[in-house]
Amino acid sequence: MKVSRNGSRQTIAALVEDRPGVLTRVASLFRRRGYNIESLAVGTTDEQGVSRMTIVVEGTSEVGDQVAKQLDKLIDVINAAVLDSTESIDRELALIKVVARPDQRREILDVAEIFRASVVDLSVSSLIIQITAANETIEALTDNLRPYGILEMVRTGAIALVRGEDTTQVVEFEDDELRRFHMGSGRIPTGQLPHLSD
Amino acid sequence: MDTLFGYPGGVVLPLYDRFPHYPDINHILVRHEQAAGHAADGYARASGKLGVALATSGPGATNLVTAITNAHMDSVPTLFITGNVTRSLLGKDGFQEADITGITMPTVKHNYLVMRPDDLAYAFKEAAYIATTGRPGAVHIDIPKDVFIEEAEFSWPETINVRGYNPPSTAEQGSIQQAAEIIDHSERPLIFAGHGIILSDAADDLRKFAEKSGTPVVNTLLGLGSIAPDHVLSYGMMGMHGSYWANHAASNADVIIGLGMRMDDRALGRFEDMNPTAKIIHVDIDPAEHQKNLETHVPIVGNVSDVLKQLTNAVQKATHPDWLSWIDDLRIGHRASMSVPEGPELTAQYAIARIADYIGTESVLCTGVGQHQMWSAQFGAISRPRQFITSGGLGTMGFEVPAAMGAQAACPDRSVWTICGDGGFQMTFQEIGTMVDAKLPVRMAIMNNCYLGMVRQWQELFYDQNLVDVDISQPDFLKIAEAYGIKGIRVDNQEDVDAAIEEAEATEGPVLIDFRVVQQDNVWPMVPAGAALSETIESAEESAMS
């Protein structure tokens, strides 16, 4: 089942200024307001100085709306919106290391193939399976792999985009001076700092 | 900005070193950084201008934290400046280093750690813009010592563009129409007027809207002064210590219009039972306040002053005589629980009512937090915006003395009185020294009942009379006045009250009055924490029965 708008999980996309402390501000907000982060993924965007966070939180759609509005209140958050699950694509990457004795390999490969996952590492007694899919698909794959023994696994957390032409985008652009201030403020400048005794 | 409250220390010395070159800046040297923060807060509340406080790194900065949180929680436009250790020592646990931007992050609207001198002008321009626009709040700038020292080309940015910050003004017309329709069809409409009315100078807009739509108004604590108490549609304060009639009007209205208020638990009681059948229209500049505590039918995002003009245009002229007379009857029937107690004893209620009557509405009335605060709200006759200065959200004891000092600095021509608790006064009275130095003639009236009164009230009512650590001892307050070289007056009897107030007004302040009020008195009416507004209790006897 996909993440539904009224389900127990909400996906929020936030465009944020790439500034020192922005992740702390977001994390601090979640702690202070008592929201549970299921996953958080951050990466750069096509515009310099702007990062995109995809945050999955537990809760109803009302919780999702509150989270988005509280996020939007942060000055460093350019905009934040709850993504409607039926109108957006969300994907997550997982690497799963499974116990695979030679006599079990074929079976496990069949499972992986059903889920369109691929094998990226092989040893005498284990496999690493890579899958890029929606959260629920990954859950289903791990359920099917668990009987063989999952040694360890790592997941990226979801990233999501709205379907079609609609975008979650920055409409205003900053001039170079302002961008320099916003991106630099709070970071120790490069080069020689004045000596302590100065 | 012309006035700032501060306290020097190692890393901000480069800045202090330059003050003599800028005689236009009025730096007021306080005795404790927390007081600098509260003074900036009081200054901003009294004047509507940005309040500014300055402290050094480490303990200086951490001492500001209570004041920062207090100002931000009540949406007061304030700027807090701290120094920090030299850049190369940041993160190395240097002497007097504190990660103050990390500490203040959750209690400010925004903060900055400025790492390059070139960025200072931007940071200050942007900080002042963010603090004073939209929903106002506290902004904090932290500056390492060597950033103060290093030279840079000064260029003041003409405009500021913060793409993640676009404060709204007027509301979207669709929501105005929707609200107007509900208001036009209402039989028992009621306005909850909050601090936003005062912050956005919307008292006139509120009055016009209320008059056109015939809607009675009740106030939150911080909304007092948004409408004069003698206005025919004004019904006073709602909430935990609001009047019986205001709380029952809130519980019986069919349409509630929340204006510039955040649906707080102290104002609304138990959310689920705060009139579940009413249609709720909630106007706030901060969309995150909508649906936070209470389900709202029509959330309206906008500056309450602009929105009120839009709403006034959109609604039809109406009157609700039956509804008003229903509330009026309650007011007549329950006036006693919102009156100064009769009898010969000196009560805090009596002293506060006399002070309010004597000083009039052009004065400023500050308070601390506790019983005396609630009595000031009830009997202070608060009639104009910015007349009443009190710590609402954070509830900070000790706010009274430094906040009054800040209000006096902002309003040199007004008489500034502060109603103090005997507990709160002992937290910050060191600022009398500042008042004396800076010639800030604040009138301090201590409601001295030899108890932490509100705590005792809760222990009596909710902890089975088990009084623990509330009978706080007092120094001789007149000797404290004497030590600071100011006039001190003691009042033990009701009949001496007027003379003392008169003398305090006639004295070139600061001046202190120690009102030795009755010890065992509680604030009524009361909605116990977690109860609904409809469960307002009016007396100790009623409380004992429930």
Side-chain angles (χ1 to χ4, degrees), chain A residues 17 25 66 69 73 182 186, chain B residues 111 113 126 163 286-288:
Chain A
E17 301 282 358
R25 288 182 204 278
Q66 254 301 310
K69 288 194 286 189
K73 235 164 101 165
H182 282 154
Chain B
N111 64 12
L113 169 57
E126 197 174 285
R163 56 185 167 179
D286 178 359

Side-chain angles (χ1 to χ4, degrees), chain B residues 115-137:
Chain B
M115 296 296 274
R116 286 179 304 209
D118 297 331
D119 291 342
L120 281 168
Y122 270 105
F124 275 87
K125 175 103 180 178
E126 197 174 285
Y129 170 65
I130 289 172
T132 54
T133 54
R135 178 180 182 177

Side-chain angles (χ1 to χ4, degrees), chain A residues 14 16 19-42 53-57 67 70-72 74 76-77, chain B residues 102 105-107:
Chain A
V16 304
R19 291 180 199 176
V22 64
L23 187 60
T24 317
R25 288 182 204 278
V26 170
S28 162
L29 171 82
F30 278 79
R31 177 196 53 78
R32 150 143 161 63
R33 302 267 175 199
Y35 307 131
N36 281 327
I37 303 184
E38 196 171 285
S39 71
L40 188 157
V42 199
M53 291 186 181
T54 308
I55 305 162
V56 179
V57 291
V67 172
Q70 293 289 354
L71 277 173
D72 223 357
L74 296 176
D76 285 347
V77 172
Chain B
M105 196 174 278
T107 67

Side-chain angles (χ1 to χ4, degrees), chain B residues 103 160 245 247 260 285 297 466 479:
Chain B
I103 291 170
I160 215 79
W245 57 88
N247 286 346
I285 198 160
H297 300 83
N466 186 24
K479 286 200 172 137

Side-chain angles (χ1 to χ4, degrees), chain A residues 82-132:
Chain A
V82 186
L83 299 183
D84 185 326
S85 64
T86 58
E87 300 297 322
S88 62
I89 300 284
D90 62 306
R91 288 292 179 270
E92 153 169 22
L93 172 68
L95 295 173
I96 308 161
K97 189 181 287 179
V98 194
V99 176
R101 293 191 314 272
D103 62 317
Q104 290 177 318
R105 266 187 209 150
R106 191 61 253 168
E107 245 177 85
I108 295 172
L109 287 177
D110 286 347
V111 172
E113 201 184 339
I114 292 166
F115 284 92
R116 290 187 214 155
S118 51
V119 174
V120 292
D121 182 68
L122 173 68
S123 77
V124 180
S125 60
S126 72
L127 283 173
I128 296 178
I129 293 173
Q130 170 190 311
I131 179 169
T132 305

Side-chain angles (χ1 to χ4, degrees), chain B residues 267-320:
Chain B
L268 266 58
R270 187 166 68 238
F271 296 127
E272 308 87 87
D273 295 314
M274 203 294 298
N275 197 339
T277 59
K279 284 208 166 66
I280 295 174
I281 297 162
H282 186 190
V283 180
D284 204 284
I285 198 160
D286 178 359
E289 291 303 341
H290 294 133
Q291 322 286 10
K292 185 182 78 177
N293 292 339
L294 209 65
E295 199 188 322
T296 302
H297 300 83
V298 187
I300 301 181
V301 181
N303 181 313
V304 73
S305 170
D306 295 323
V307 174
L308 276 170
K309 291 185 181 83
Q310 290 176 284
L311 278 175
T312 307
N313 277 332
V315 295
Q316 283 164 14
K317 196 159 172 42
T319 54
H320 301 280

Side-chain angles (χ1 to χ4, degrees), chain B residues 60-75:
Chain B
T62 54
N63 277 346
L64 274 180
V65 171
T66 302
I68 293 174
T69 313
N70 187 79
H72 190 58
M73 205 131 166
D74 286 348
S75 309

